Amino acid sequence: MRVAVVGGINIDTFALVDRQPTDDEPALIRAVVDGVGGKAANQAVAAARLGASVRLLGAVGDDDDGVRAVRELEALGVDCSRVRISKTAPTGRVVGTVTAGGSKRTSAFGGANLRLAPKHVESFEDVLVGSDVVLVQLEPPADVVRTTLQLAAAADVPALLDIAPAQGPVRELVPLARWVTGNHSEVESVTRIDVRDEGTAREAATVLRAHGPAIAGVTVGAAGQLVAWNGGESWSAVDASDAVVDTTGAGDAFAATLAVLLAEGLSPRDAAMRASRASTLACRRLGAQAGLPTREELE
């Protein structure tokens, strides 16, 4: 399975705290994890752990963080030969706090991710058109996302758009994707539906699919995920007995697993069930990539 991924590469720093800090009361830090993240990087690793051949287009700074990100991603099986090195911006970074129950607060610095341009995607066209599936998110500039989706569509390569983070002209980009995923708040930015449960997730997925995508996946926090397609849907409730350490990377595991398995030819229902399980397994450890499951773990 050949997978092309376009999007953000960051260094993530997360502190494990007993509770989220407030303006008046700081939180006591129990542990700190510093590692490679970014939605594209996470999805690339998730796909590689499923056994796919993965090539990544993103951008890092000409700095130690950039060297580290590329080195660690390549060690995890991701081809980074097309990752751009920016001379004008540092590697992107996300800083956040995570409680033992999985509550998360983050702040993001785009850095080199914002230096990606359509011309870089066009130079990546041979990879896009030679892939079995394309993954893209909204961390790079909107014109990069648009170009990626247009080139994939022109080559009849299925592309999944993960509408995270929900920024820019999201409603204009959704119709360009064959498949789309997002969490409840991101989906709300497109559908204007307050997604709280299975029923409202179904409504939101219907609206998403009315914009053009054939399959829509909606994550409803700790409740579960709904995937809808023409003539069917699958709701996967989260098992309350599963330990949640950190939800960072859960959405990326869901999106990447769904895309890879759909491209492999699994039915939407089977792909949805496994994607939901992958997102749960991704919450086992602190850090975006630490819990991403292998194919063997998932099966």
Side-chain angles (χ1 to χ4, degrees):
M1 180 59 52
R2 299 161 299 176
V3 179
V5 186
V6 178
I9 306 170
N10 298 317
I11 296 295
D12 292 348
T13 301
F14 284 99
L16 182 63
V17 295
D18 290 333
R19 54 169 182 77
Q20 293 296 348
T22 65
D23 290 343
D24 299 324
E25 196 171 357
L28 179 65
I29 295 176
R30 300 296 183 184
V32 176
V33 171
D34 188 77
V36 179
K39 298 198 71 64
N42 296 342
Q43 292 179 15
V45 171
R49 287 189 176 161
L50 294 175
S53 173
V54 184
R55 302 185 76 174
L56 173 63
L57 173 62
V60 297
D62 187 15
D63 50 31
D64 290 343
D65 284 344
V67 172
R68 174 189 177 184
V70 169
R71 181 182 66 245
E72 293 189 13
L73 287 169
E74 288 182 335
L76 292 171
V78 178
D79 184 336
C80 294
S81 59
R82 301 294 185 96
V83 170
R84 312 290 303 187
I85 308 297
S86 173
K87 302 289 186 180
T88 59
T91 301
R93 181 170 285 273
V94 170
V95 179
T97 52
V98 180
T99 68
S103 169
K104 180 177 60 177
R105 301 287 187 274
T106 61
S107 297
F109 169 65
N113 295 313
L114 303 181
R115 295 295 191 268
L116 270 183
K119 64 181 181 181
H120 301 139
V121 180
E122 291 164 358
S123 71
F124 195 61
E125 183 177 4
D126 61 316
V127 176
L128 295 176
V129 302
S131 297
D132 297 300
V133 66
V134 172
L135 290 161
V136 64
Q137 321 77 33
L138 298 177
E139 284 179 325
D143 54 357
V144 168
V145 179
R146 181 180 293 107
T147 301
T148 300
L149 293 172
Q150 289 173 335
L151 289 175
D156 197 30
V157 176
L160 182 144
L161 171 64
D162 183 4
I163 51 177
Q167 60 186 10
V170 187
R171 289 188 180 185
E172 298 175 15
L173 296 171
V174 167
L176 304 177
R178 187 173 301 184
W179 308 322
V180 63
T181 62
N183 68 28
H184 57 99
S185 61
E186 294 154 357
V187 168
E188 183 178 350
S189 71
V190 179
T191 65
R192 300 293 187 258
I193 294 172
D194 180 15
V195 179
R196 306 175 306 278
D197 50 28
E198 179 182 355
T200 50
R202 181 178 299 110
E203 295 176 25
T206 299
V207 174
L208 284 174
R209 291 185 56 247
H211 281 75
I215 297 177
V218 180
T219 297
V220 193
Q225 294 90 14
L226 184 133
V227 176
W229 58 94
N230 185 26
E233 65 177 46
S234 173
W235 168 258
S236 298
V238 174
D239 188 341
S241 66
D242 283 316
V244 176
V245 176
D246 180 11
T247 59
T248 307
D252 298 322
F254 179 76
T257 303
L258 184 66
V260 169
L261 297 185
L262 286 172
E264 285 182 353
L266 262 70
S267 71
R269 188 175 306 278
D270 288 343
M273 292 173 62
R274 285 166 172 78
S276 178
R277 188 60 186 159
S279 72
T280 300
L281 293 173
C283 299
R284 295 171 296 173
R285 301 185 182 95
L286 186 62
Q289 297 177 7
L292 295 173
T294 64
R295 173 81 67 160
E296 290 73 22
E297 290 172 322
L298 183 59
E299 295 299 336

